[in-house]
Amino acid sequence: MKYMSWGRTVVFLVMLLAGLQIIHMVLLSRLEEQNNYLERVQLTRTMLESSRLTEKLSSEMKKKIQKSSILDTAGAYNIINFWLKSATKQEQPRLKDVLTIVTHCSVDHLFKLIDLSKRWQGPVSVALFATENDTEFAEAMIIKLHYCVPSIRQNVSFHLVYPLGQTPRTLNSASVLTKHHNFCDIGTFVQTQTKQIRVNYEDTGIQYPNNLLRNVALKNAKSDFVLMTDIDMLPKSNLLTDFKHFVQTHRRSIANTSTFDRTVFVVPAFEAREDITPPDSKQRLLDLWSMHDVQPFYIQPCVKCQRYTNYDRWKSLVPSSSLTVGYEVEWKDPWEPFYITQPSIPLYDERFKQFGFNRISQACELHVAGYRFAVLNNAFLVHQGFKTVEGFHKTKTQEQEDNRKLYRKFKQELKTKYPDSPRRCY
């Protein structure tokens, strides 16, 4: 009898355990259904929120195209300042002792703002060049970047430049951007769309107005200082805060502030192999340099264009926690450094388009106008990928020759513009 009672007990316990397991599975299933329901509700809310925001942004951008464009000085391009403002720009009209990155691009390079903005974590003023066939993609891309990348939403302001006589195409409805749950999959969006748009120096008969774009971005940089650079260059980490501290310290230590105001602070430029993470500190850069994974910028296509930066001297400056002037360099042709300066500098000559002599023309004028070139000890920029002669577009040689002639004329004009200056561009 005891064995029968024990057997019944075991059977009962097994059945009880099986029942509990069934109940547990049912509860898990219901919990999973509830979680799935909550996820669907959250996804729906997110899509509705993103749809409302994108429609709002798209509506504002359309209105600016319709009502807010102005002409450049030559009457060849339409300009829309602040086609889309950063969140910070809407709150602060002027940023004291702050450094804004000033840059430009065509629509196929907009995605490069992701890495740039994440590393910089500060204001960026970017002038975008687009033809009427590119503006629809540009609008969609900017809305995606603004919505999906917090560092872009907070800090990046976009300005649009397009050829006179063209009518920019815009999105019929921005809601189409948010109908899929992968709205922020920017990489896939870029891959599927960029085949339909032009690149910077493509031979389409439409010239890329480098210096006009630089001036547009520069004029809209509402800060005390600007870093003039290209969109595919990444700055050293913490350069934003390092330079602010440098400015505040430097101003207190110099009685003659006009000397400070007529100085451009050179940021040495480098290029890194495609397959490595760009260095974020000077020590890391020096380590990669010793392994030949980093090299001075443009060393193969035009070694003399950056030679006067004096990379060996910069390398000898021991990395430190503070930013300061390492040494000064007298400008010589054909040096075209990247630099930090104040927005009040002479503007770029907008006659220069396409490839060649566009950046150097301003450096030349700064020299003639009496500016000093001071190289910063710990600051640097890095281009992802080594520049090679073979990597240029097919019309580069002709464009460079055309701009060489213009540059010669430009240098002669500077003698009239600065008659009392003893300096010349050679």
Side-chain angles (χ1 to χ4, degrees):
M1 292 294 292
K2 290 183 177 179
Y3 290 114
M4 291 180 62
S5 176
W6 175 248
R8 289 174 182 172
T9 301
V10 171
V11 171
F12 172 76
L13 291 174
V14 170
M15 293 179 65
L16 178 62
L17 180 61
L20 290 173
Q21 287 179 332
I22 292 172
I23 293 172
H24 178 67
M25 292 175 64
V26 170
L27 290 175
L28 283 177
S29 176
R30 290 181 177 177
L31 181 61
E32 184 177 1
E33 288 179 2
Q34 183 178 12
N35 287 337
N36 289 338
Y37 171 75
L38 292 175
E39 287 180 3
R40 289 195 298 271
V41 170
Q42 183 60 40
L43 179 61
T44 301
R45 288 176 178 172
T46 300
M47 292 178 68
L48 287 173
E49 177 189 350
S50 61
S51 179
R52 286 194 292 266
L53 177 61
T54 54
E55 284 289 359
K56 179 176 180 291
L57 294 175
S58 179
S59 175
E60 292 174 354
M61 294 169 80
K62 285 185 177 70
K63 287 179 181 177
K64 289 185 178 179
I65 287 179
Q66 295 167 356
K67 300 180 179 179
S68 301
S69 67
I70 59 175
L71 288 177
D72 71 313
T73 55
Y77 299 92
N78 284 300
I79 301 169
I80 299 177
N81 296 314
F82 294 104
W83 194 24
L84 183 61
K85 289 183 178 181
S86 69
T88 303
K89 184 62 67 180
Q90 297 180 38
E91 297 171 1
Q92 297 177 306
R94 188 74 184 181
L95 302 171
K96 181 174 176 56
D97 290 343
V98 171
L99 181 59
T100 296
I101 282 184
V102 168
T103 190
H104 61 96
C105 70
S106 53
V107 294
D108 57 310
H109 281 96
L110 279 168
F111 73 95
K112 292 183 180 293
L113 284 167
I114 299 174
D115 289 341
L116 177 61
S117 66
K118 287 180 178 178
R119 175 168 292 200
W120 184 242
Q121 293 296 328
V124 179
S125 177
V126 55
L128 168 70
F129 181 68
T131 65
E132 59 187 348
N133 296 325
D134 300 339
T135 46
E136 185 176 4
F137 170 82
E139 179 188 349
M141 186 66 175
I142 290 173
I143 288 173
K144 280 179 174 286
L145 291 172
H146 185 87
Y147 180 81
C148 300
V149 186
S151 55
I152 290 181
R153 180 168 60 254
Q154 289 298 317
N155 298 311
V156 180
S157 291
F158 298 88
H159 322 288
L160 177 63
V161 176
Y162 61 94
L164 183 67
Q166 294 194 2
T167 304
R169 297 176 183 176
T170 56
L171 295 170
N172 291 326
S173 174
S175 61
V176 299
L177 297 175
T178 56
K179 66 180 180 181
H180 302 297
H181 67 276
N182 60 345
F183 170 64
C184 287
D185 184 1
I186 296 173
T188 300
F189 179 73
V190 171
Q191 290 176 1
T192 57
Q193 296 293 322
T194 50
K195 293 180 181 178
Q196 306 173 26
I197 58 178
R198 73 186 296 265
V199 296
N200 276 16
Y201 299 113
E202 186 179 347
D203 185 14
T204 60
I206 299 176
Q207 293 184 313
Y208 184 79
N210 320 63
N211 281 358
L212 169 61
L213 294 168
R214 290 186 175 105
N215 285 342
V216 170
L218 175 60
K219 291 175 183 178
N220 288 307
K222 306 302 181 183
S223 62
D224 285 351
F225 294 91
V226 291
L227 169 55
M228 315 296 298
T229 185
D230 291 338
I231 201 166
D232 53 3
M233 306 285 281
L234 292 179
K236 169 189 174 292
S237 294
N238 302 321
L239 178 56
L240 180 70
T241 53
D242 288 349
F243 187 78
K244 184 172 184 177
H245 183 263
F246 164 74
V247 169
Q248 294 170 342
T249 303
H250 201 58
R251 275 182 168 161
R252 287 196 296 268
S253 65
I254 291 182
N256 185 2
T257 56
S258 63
T259 301
F260 180 82
D261 292 341
R262 297 188 71 80
T263 300
V264 296
F265 300 98
V266 175
V267 181
F270 295 84
E271 48 194 40
R273 292 190 187 278
E274 286 276 7
D275 56 350
I276 70 165
T277 301
D280 58 359
S281 69
K282 181 173 182 178
Q283 186 57 59
R284 177 58 178 162
L285 184 144
L286 293 176
D287 292 342
L288 292 171
W289 195 352
S290 67
M291 295 184 288
H292 306 289
D293 288 328
V294 163
Q295 62 188 22
F297 185 66
Y298 241 49
I299 193 169
Q300 199 233 46
C302 183
V303 64
K304 60 185 179 180
C305 292
Q306 298 294 325
R307 179 174 59 197
Y308 296 108
T309 300
N310 197 339
Y311 286 96
D312 288 337
R313 185 174 181 182
W314 187 84
K315 182 192 288 188
S316 70
L317 301 175
V318 179
S320 67
S321 59
S322 61
L323 189 68
T324 188
V325 172
Y327 51 92
E328 290 192 23
V329 178
E330 182 181 359
W331 185 88
K332 294 181 181 179
D333 201 0
W335 189 29
E336 48 180 19
F338 296 93
Y339 40 75
I340 294 170
T341 184
Q342 294 179 310
S344 57
I345 58 169
L347 294 174
Y348 290 87
D349 190 304
E350 297 175 5
R351 293 173 295 177
F352 289 92
K353 301 179 179 70
Q354 291 293 101
F355 184 87
F357 299 94
N358 46 76
R359 281 197 306 110
I360 192 177
S361 60
Q362 193 201 42
C364 163
E365 179 166 359
L366 292 177
H367 169 68
V368 174
Y371 281 75
R372 300 156 55 213
F373 289 76
V375 181
L376 294 172
N377 65 332
N378 284 328
F380 62 82
L381 294 164
V382 180
H383 177 272
Q384 190 76 6
F386 286 171
K387 290 279 192 178
T388 63
V389 174
E390 297 78 18
F392 290 104
H393 55 292
K394 62 183 180 181
T395 57
K396 173 252 186 185
T397 301
Q398 184 58 54
E399 293 165 6
Q400 188 172 30
E401 188 55 36
D402 292 342
N403 279 335
R404 189 189 309 278
K405 296 174 183 176
L406 176 58
Y407 183 54
R408 290 171 184 155
K409 178 182 178 183
F410 171 80
K411 290 192 289 186
Q412 291 300 315
E413 293 170 347
L414 290 180
K415 295 178 181 179
T416 303
K417 187 174 182 179
Y418 300 95
D420 297 328
S421 174
R423 298 182 176 186
R424 295 291 181 263
C425 290
Y426 49 79

